[in-house]
Amino acid sequence: MSDPTSPPKGEMIHLENVSKAFGDHQVLRDISLVVHQGEKVVLCGPSGSGKSTLIRCINRLVPHDSGRILVEGVELSDNVKRLELIRREVGMVFQGFNLFPHMTILENCTLAPLWLRKLPRAEAEALALSLLARVHIPDQAHKYPGQLSGGQQQRAAIARALCMRPRIMLFDEPTSALDPEMVSEVLDVMEELAAEGMTMICVTHEMGFARRVADRVVFMDKGEIVEIAPPEPFFTAPQNERTKQFLRQIL
Ligand code: ADP
Ligand code: MG
Protein backbone atom coordinates (compact mmCIF):
# COMPACT_ATOMS: atom_id res chain seq x y z
CA MET A 1 0.00 0.00 0.00
CA SER A 2 1.38 3.39 -0.85
CA ASP A 3 1.94 5.92 1.90
CA PRO A 4 -0.78 8.55 1.53
CA THR A 5 1.56 11.23 2.93
CA SER A 6 4.40 10.53 0.48
CA PRO A 7 5.04 13.37 -1.97
CA PRO A 8 4.85 13.09 -5.75
CA LYS A 9 7.93 11.64 -7.41
CA GLY A 10 10.67 14.14 -8.08
CA GLU A 11 9.97 16.31 -5.05
CA MET A 12 13.31 16.71 -3.29
CA ILE A 13 12.32 19.33 -0.73
CA HIS A 14 8.78 19.96 0.39
CA LEU A 15 8.05 22.80 2.82
CA GLU A 16 4.50 23.27 3.96
CA ASN A 17 3.48 26.17 6.21
CA VAL A 18 6.80 26.09 8.03
CA SER A 19 7.10 28.51 10.94
CA LYS A 20 9.87 29.17 13.41
CA ALA A 21 10.32 31.60 16.28
CA PHE A 22 13.32 32.35 18.46
CA GLY A 23 11.69 33.40 21.72
CA ASP A 24 9.00 35.88 20.77
CA HIS A 25 10.74 36.76 17.49
CA GLN A 26 8.87 35.11 14.62
CA VAL A 27 11.62 34.38 12.08
CA LEU A 28 9.75 32.17 9.58
CA ARG A 29 6.05 32.61 8.84
CA ASP A 30 4.11 29.96 6.96
CA ILE A 31 6.80 29.15 4.42
CA SER A 32 5.66 26.83 1.62
CA LEU A 33 8.01 25.83 -1.18
CA VAL A 34 8.61 22.71 -3.25
CA VAL A 35 11.95 22.07 -4.94
CA HIS A 36 12.07 19.35 -7.58
CA GLN A 37 14.91 17.10 -8.61
CA GLY A 38 17.59 19.01 -10.48
CA GLU A 39 16.01 22.36 -9.75
CA LYS A 40 18.15 25.36 -8.77
CA VAL A 41 16.58 27.90 -6.45
CA VAL A 42 18.24 31.17 -5.52
CA LEU A 43 17.03 32.58 -2.21
CA CYS A 44 17.51 36.27 -1.60
CA GLY A 45 16.25 38.98 0.71
CA PRO A 46 17.40 41.57 3.21
CA SER A 47 19.65 40.66 6.11
CA GLY A 48 17.59 39.18 8.95
CA SER A 49 14.76 38.04 6.67
CA GLY A 50 15.18 34.38 7.71
CA LYS A 51 17.14 32.92 4.77
CA SER A 52 19.77 31.13 6.86
CA THR A 53 17.16 29.89 9.31
CA LEU A 54 15.11 28.48 6.45
CA ILE A 55 17.93 26.51 4.88
CA ARG A 56 19.14 25.35 8.30
CA CYS A 57 15.66 23.96 8.92
CA ILE A 58 16.04 21.81 5.79
CA ASN A 59 18.81 19.72 7.36
CA ARG A 60 17.49 20.31 10.86
CA LEU A 61 20.41 22.29 12.18
CA VAL A 62 17.42 24.34 13.37
CA PRO A 63 14.20 22.47 14.28
CA HIS A 64 11.05 24.14 12.98
CA ASP A 65 8.09 24.87 15.27
CA SER A 66 5.18 23.99 13.02
CA GLY A 67 4.36 22.95 9.48
CA ARG A 68 5.98 20.08 7.60
CA ILE A 69 9.37 19.60 6.00
CA LEU A 70 9.98 16.56 3.82
CA VAL A 71 13.34 15.80 2.25
CA GLU A 72 13.05 13.18 -0.49
CA GLY A 73 9.75 12.19 1.05
CA VAL A 74 11.10 11.75 4.57
CA GLU A 75 9.46 14.01 7.12
CA LEU A 76 11.88 15.79 9.43
CA SER A 77 11.38 15.07 13.10
CA ASP A 78 13.64 14.22 16.00
CA ASN A 79 13.86 10.63 14.81
CA VAL A 80 17.62 10.19 14.81
CA LYS A 81 17.94 7.52 12.13
CA ARG A 82 16.10 9.73 9.68
CA LEU A 83 18.22 12.71 10.66
CA GLU A 84 21.42 10.85 9.83
CA LEU A 85 19.93 9.89 6.52
CA ILE A 86 18.92 13.47 5.75
CA ARG A 87 22.32 14.87 6.70
CA ARG A 88 23.94 12.43 4.28
CA GLU A 89 21.65 13.42 1.46
CA VAL A 90 21.89 17.16 2.04
CA GLY A 91 25.27 18.88 1.71
CA MET A 92 25.75 22.32 3.12
CA VAL A 93 28.28 25.07 2.45
CA PHE A 94 28.40 28.12 4.71
CA GLN A 95 29.67 31.65 4.40
CA GLY A 96 32.66 30.92 6.63
CA PHE A 97 34.50 27.93 5.23
CA ASN A 98 34.17 25.85 8.42
CA LEU A 99 37.12 23.61 7.59
CA PHE A 100 38.93 22.07 10.56
CA PRO A 101 42.14 24.14 10.75
CA HIS A 102 44.30 21.41 12.30
CA MET A 103 43.50 18.88 9.55
CA THR A 104 44.74 18.81 5.97
CA ILE A 105 42.28 19.41 3.17
CA LEU A 106 42.33 15.69 2.41
CA GLU A 107 41.65 14.84 6.08
CA ASN A 108 38.81 17.36 6.14
CA CYS A 109 37.32 15.68 3.09
CA THR A 110 37.69 12.09 4.28
CA LEU A 111 36.47 12.58 7.87
CA ALA A 112 32.74 12.16 7.30
CA PRO A 113 33.05 9.45 4.61
CA LEU A 114 35.28 7.40 6.94
CA TRP A 115 33.15 7.75 10.06
CA LEU A 116 29.62 8.20 8.75
CA ARG A 117 29.69 6.37 5.42
CA LYS A 118 32.24 3.85 6.78
CA LEU A 119 34.21 3.86 3.54
CA PRO A 120 37.60 2.14 3.59
CA ARG A 121 40.36 4.75 3.85
CA ALA A 122 41.77 4.14 0.36
CA GLU A 123 38.33 4.57 -1.17
CA ALA A 124 37.58 7.71 0.87
CA GLU A 125 40.90 9.24 -0.18
CA ALA A 126 40.42 8.38 -3.84
CA LEU A 127 36.95 9.93 -3.73
CA ALA A 128 38.25 13.06 -1.98
CA LEU A 129 41.07 13.47 -4.49
CA SER A 130 38.70 13.11 -7.41
CA LEU A 131 36.36 15.74 -5.93
CA LEU A 132 39.24 18.11 -5.16
CA ALA A 133 40.16 17.76 -8.83
CA ARG A 134 36.57 18.50 -9.76
CA VAL A 135 36.69 21.82 -7.84
CA HIS A 136 40.05 22.52 -9.51
CA ILE A 137 42.34 22.25 -6.47
CA PRO A 138 43.87 18.76 -6.86
CA ASP A 139 47.26 20.04 -5.69
CA GLN A 140 46.01 21.41 -2.35
CA ALA A 141 45.07 18.06 -0.77
CA HIS A 142 47.99 17.86 1.64
CA LYS A 143 47.93 21.49 2.77
CA TYR A 144 46.17 22.95 5.80
CA PRO A 145 43.23 25.33 5.36
CA GLY A 146 45.33 28.31 6.56
CA GLN A 147 47.69 27.77 3.62
CA LEU A 148 44.91 28.21 1.04
CA SER A 149 43.26 31.35 -0.29
CA GLY A 150 39.65 32.03 0.68
CA GLY A 151 38.42 30.89 -2.73
CA GLN A 152 40.41 27.66 -2.49
CA GLN A 153 39.11 27.03 1.03
CA GLN A 154 35.54 27.49 -0.08
CA ARG A 155 36.06 25.12 -3.00
CA ALA A 156 37.57 22.63 -0.54
CA ALA A 157 34.44 23.04 1.60
CA ILE A 158 32.32 22.25 -1.46
CA ALA A 159 34.44 19.16 -2.21
CA ARG A 160 34.09 18.07 1.42
CA ALA A 161 30.31 18.33 1.21
CA LEU A 162 30.31 16.41 -2.10
CA CYS A 163 32.32 13.58 -0.51
CA MET A 164 29.11 12.51 1.24
CA ARG A 165 27.53 12.05 -2.19
CA PRO A 166 24.62 14.37 -1.37
CA ARG A 167 21.59 14.60 -3.62
CA ILE A 168 20.83 18.15 -2.54
CA MET A 169 23.26 21.02 -1.91
CA LEU A 170 22.43 24.03 0.23
CA PHE A 171 24.66 27.10 -0.03
CA ASP A 172 24.41 29.93 2.49
CA GLU A 173 26.10 33.04 1.05
CA PRO A 174 29.14 31.00 0.00
CA THR A 175 30.93 33.94 -1.59
CA SER A 176 30.09 36.82 0.72
CA ALA A 177 33.20 36.40 2.89
CA LEU A 178 35.52 36.25 -0.12
CA ASP A 179 37.74 38.90 -1.62
CA PRO A 180 36.11 40.04 -4.88
CA GLU A 181 38.69 38.42 -7.12
CA MET A 182 37.88 34.99 -5.66
CA VAL A 183 34.11 35.12 -6.01
CA SER A 184 33.98 33.86 -9.57
CA GLU A 185 36.14 30.78 -8.99
CA VAL A 186 33.60 29.61 -6.39
CA LEU A 187 30.56 30.57 -8.46
CA ASP A 188 32.07 28.73 -11.46
CA VAL A 189 32.30 25.52 -9.41
CA MET A 190 28.69 25.95 -8.26
CA GLU A 191 27.64 26.55 -11.84
CA GLU A 192 29.39 23.36 -12.95
CA LEU A 193 27.59 21.46 -10.21
CA ALA A 194 24.30 22.95 -11.35
CA ALA A 195 25.01 21.91 -14.95
CA GLU A 196 25.60 18.35 -13.74
CA GLY A 197 22.04 18.27 -12.45
CA MET A 198 22.46 18.82 -8.71
CA THR A 199 19.39 20.01 -6.84
CA MET A 200 20.44 23.27 -5.19
CA ILE A 201 19.20 26.04 -2.96
CA CYS A 202 21.62 28.96 -2.89
CA VAL A 203 21.31 31.96 -0.64
CA THR A 204 23.23 34.56 -2.59
CA HIS A 205 23.06 38.13 -3.73
CA GLU A 206 25.19 37.35 -6.79
CA MET A 207 22.54 38.29 -9.27
CA GLY A 208 24.61 37.36 -12.33
CA PHE A 209 24.79 33.83 -10.95
CA ALA A 210 21.04 33.90 -10.24
CA ARG A 211 20.31 34.92 -13.83
CA ARG A 212 22.54 32.24 -15.31
CA VAL A 213 21.73 29.35 -13.01
CA ALA A 214 18.43 29.73 -11.17
CA ASP A 215 15.23 28.11 -12.34
CA ARG A 216 13.42 30.24 -9.80
CA VAL A 217 14.35 33.14 -7.56
CA VAL A 218 12.67 33.29 -4.17
CA PHE A 219 12.54 36.65 -2.40
CA MET A 220 12.05 36.63 1.37
CA ASP A 221 11.35 39.54 3.69
CA LYS A 222 10.52 39.48 7.40
CA GLY A 223 10.20 35.70 7.49
CA GLU A 224 7.82 35.44 4.56
CA ILE A 225 8.18 34.43 0.95
CA VAL A 226 7.13 37.59 -0.82
CA GLU A 227 7.75 36.64 -4.44
CA ILE A 228 8.83 33.62 -6.49
CA ALA A 229 9.60 33.89 -10.19
CA PRO A 230 12.05 32.72 -12.86
CA PRO A 231 15.05 35.08 -13.02
CA GLU A 232 14.00 37.01 -16.12
CA PRO A 233 10.63 38.23 -14.82
CA PHE A 234 12.02 38.48 -11.30
CA PHE A 235 14.70 40.97 -12.29
CA THR A 236 12.94 42.82 -15.10
CA ALA A 237 9.37 42.92 -13.83
CA PRO A 238 9.16 42.26 -10.09
CA GLN A 239 5.58 42.37 -8.87
CA ASN A 240 5.84 43.18 -5.20
CA GLU A 241 6.81 46.62 -3.88
CA ARG A 242 9.21 45.07 -1.35
CA THR A 243 10.96 43.12 -4.12
CA LYS A 244 11.32 46.27 -6.20
CA GLN A 245 12.82 48.14 -3.27
CA PHE A 246 15.28 45.31 -2.55
CA LEU A 247 16.38 45.12 -6.18
CA ARG A 248 16.90 48.88 -6.31
CA GLN A 249 19.29 48.51 -3.38
CA ILE A 250 21.37 45.64 -4.72
CA LEU A 251 21.44 46.15 -8.48
P1 ADP B 1 19.21 36.02 7.13
O1 ADP B 1 20.02 34.79 6.85
O2 ADP B 1 18.15 36.28 6.11
O3 ADP B 1 20.08 37.22 7.35
P2 ADP B 1 18.63 34.71 9.63
O4 ADP B 1 17.84 33.49 9.31
O5 ADP B 1 20.07 34.52 9.95
O6 ADP B 1 18.41 35.78 8.49
O7 ADP B 1 18.00 35.44 10.87
C1 ADP B 1 16.65 35.84 10.92
C2 ADP B 1 16.39 36.44 12.28
O8 ADP B 1 16.47 35.43 13.27
C3 ADP B 1 17.36 37.52 12.68
O9 ADP B 1 16.69 38.55 13.32
C4 ADP B 1 18.30 36.80 13.63
O10 ADP B 1 18.82 37.71 14.57
C5 ADP B 1 17.38 35.79 14.28
N1 ADP B 1 18.10 34.57 14.68
C6 ADP B 1 18.75 33.71 13.85
N2 ADP B 1 19.26 32.67 14.52
C7 ADP B 1 18.91 32.86 15.83
C8 ADP B 1 19.13 32.12 17.04
N3 ADP B 1 19.80 30.96 17.03
N4 ADP B 1 18.64 32.63 18.18
C9 ADP B 1 17.95 33.79 18.19
N5 ADP B 1 17.69 34.53 17.09
C10 ADP B 1 18.18 34.08 15.93
MG1 MG C 1 22.04 34.51 6.58
Side-chain angles (χ1 to χ4, degrees):
M1 210 173 81
S2 72
D3 176 358
T5 62
S6 74
K9 226 176 152 57
E11 280 194 9
M12 298 296 276
I13 300 168
H14 182 111
L15 306 171
E16 208 176 293
N17 302 114
V18 173
S19 294
K20 172 72 188 176
F22 290 112
D24 55 8
H25 183 188
Q26 195 68 41
V27 175
L28 299 177
R29 302 166 193 268
D30 263 334
I31 299 283
S32 294
L33 178 71
V34 172
V35 180
H36 290 92
Q37 188 167 3
E39 201 179 4
K40 292 87 179 89
V41 170
V42 162
L43 182 56
C44 63
S47 176
S49 57
K51 306 178 299 294
S52 294
T53 304
L54 180 62
I55 66 167
R56 282 160 189 262
C57 281
I58 295 171
N59 63 1
R60 214 167 170 79
L61 289 175
V62 172
H64 57 291
D65 295 335
S66 59
R68 299 174 77 211
I69 301 179
L70 291 88
V71 176
E72 292 193 272
V74 177
E75 179 152 9
L76 299 197
S77 67
D78 289 326
N79 185 318
V80 173
K81 248 196 180 141
R82 286 182 166 192
L83 262 190
E84 272 178 22
L85 212 120
I86 298 300
R87 298 240 168 98
R88 266 183 227 192
E89 298 284 301
V90 182
M92 183 140 180
V93 176
F94 302 91
Q95 179 177 345
F97 320 122
N98 299 78
L99 296 165
F100 295 111
H102 59 290
M103 299 170 90
T104 66
I105 298 302
L106 186 66
E107 287 165 348
N108 266 280
C109 288
T110 53
L111 189 65
L114 286 173
W115 296 103
L116 297 177
R117 287 184 64 205
K118 316 261 187 238
L119 288 190
R121 180 169 297 274
E123 201 176 315
E125 289 186 351
L127 173 65
L129 289 170
S130 76
L131 288 166
L132 288 169
R134 185 160 150 200
V135 301
H136 314 300
I137 48 167
D139 41 353
Q140 307 299 317
H142 299 290
K143 293 188 187 167
Y144 288 87
Q147 298 174 294
L148 272 60
S149 73
Q152 290 172 326
Q153 287 187 53
Q154 193 58 305
R155 285 182 284 150
I158 294 172
R160 181 178 61 176
L162 293 174
C163 281
M164 287 300 281
R165 293 276 180 233
R167 292 180 26 93
I168 298 168
M169 284 287 286
L170 307 176
F171 293 89
D172 193 357
E173 303 206 39
T175 61
S176 53
L178 295 176
D179 292 333
E181 72 271 20
M182 292 169 189
V183 168
S184 65
E185 66 193 48
V186 172
L187 293 178
D188 286 351
V189 164
M190 291 166 63
E191 208 166 325
E192 286 160 20
L193 208 53
E196 290 162 20
M198 181 66 81
T199 305
M200 294 167 44
I201 300 183
C202 310
V203 178
T204 180
H205 291 161
E206 292 292 337
M207 293 301 140
F209 173 83
R211 280 176 188 261
R212 289 193 303 276
V213 173
D215 297 300
R216 288 184 295 162
V217 182
V218 174
F219 173 67
M220 276 181 76
D221 190 23
K222 300 190 175 79
E224 294 173 321
I225 292 182
V226 172
E227 188 155 352
I228 304 183
E232 205 44 42
F234 182 86
F235 290 111
T236 57
Q239 298 297 303
N240 189 283
E241 202 45 51
R242 284 193 268 175
T243 318
K244 290 179 194 171
Q245 193 189 350
F246 175 75
L247 289 174
R248 275 197 295 273
Q249 283 166 357
I250 64 157
L251 292 179

